[in-house]
Amino acid sequence: YEFDDWETNDRVYVIVAGFKFHLGGFSHYIDEGAREHTTSSGIKWSMHSLSKPARTAFLRSRNDQKHRIKVTIPNKFVSNNGEVKIGFQVSTSAGIWNEAGGFDNIKVIAFVEACSLT
């Protein structure tokens, strides 16, 4: 979720086994639509907007938007004991009084014989 007064330099980051990458800029007045990329480490990601920007959350003078993100992680990020460490981070130009982000409905599918998440 992208809530309230996001500016074009505000970012969503994904961290996989210490490797951090962002999903591009987000802004309250732009429909980000769809985008995809493969990082230098071989992580593939795609994102598409699930709704048009609309005034639905806290700050009624700014638009909010919901997105779906898919990340495909190569096996080289799985540790020897079968674990993958995944994190999410939002970096905004102002505090939560002005803009915020959130993650929900996180689904993990492993395509290896044995894997656990931490």
Side-chain angles (χ1 to χ4, degrees):
Y1 291 99
E2 165 192 352
F3 296 119
D4 300 329
D5 198 15
W6 280 58
E7 304 299 332
T8 54
N9 60 336
D10 294 338
R11 305 261 189 254
V12 173
Y13 291 90
V14 179
I15 304 109
V16 177
F19 180 76
K20 183 177 179 180
F21 58 96
H22 69 81
L23 306 177
F26 291 82
S27 176
H28 68 91
Y29 56 88
I30 296 172
D31 180 358
E32 284 79 19
R35 48 177 98 146
E36 59 184 42
H37 184 71
T38 301
T39 70
S40 60
S41 291
I43 297 171
K44 296 178 184 179
W45 64 266
S46 62
M47 185 219 55
H48 69 274
S49 301
L50 296 178
S51 63
K52 298 288 183 193
R55 296 176 181 165
T56 56
F58 311 107
L59 188 59
R60 292 293 182 180
S61 61
R62 297 292 187 257
N63 289 326
D64 310 300
Q65 196 169 15
K66 185 176 180 181
H67 310 279
R68 174 163 290 138
I69 299 165
K70 179 180 178 181
V71 179
T72 303
I73 302 167
N75 287 340
K76 69 181 182 181
F77 287 96
V78 178
S79 68
N80 289 337
N81 62 357
E83 294 181 346
V84 177
K85 293 186 180 187
I86 303 170
F88 304 92
Q89 182 180 16
V90 172
S91 174
T92 60
S93 55
I96 59 172
W97 57 270
N98 191 39
E99 54 201 27
F103 302 92
D104 72 355
N105 296 323
I106 296 171
K107 183 188 305 183
V108 178
I109 301 170
F111 295 104
V112 295
E113 289 190 27
C115 180
S116 67
L117 296 171
T118 60

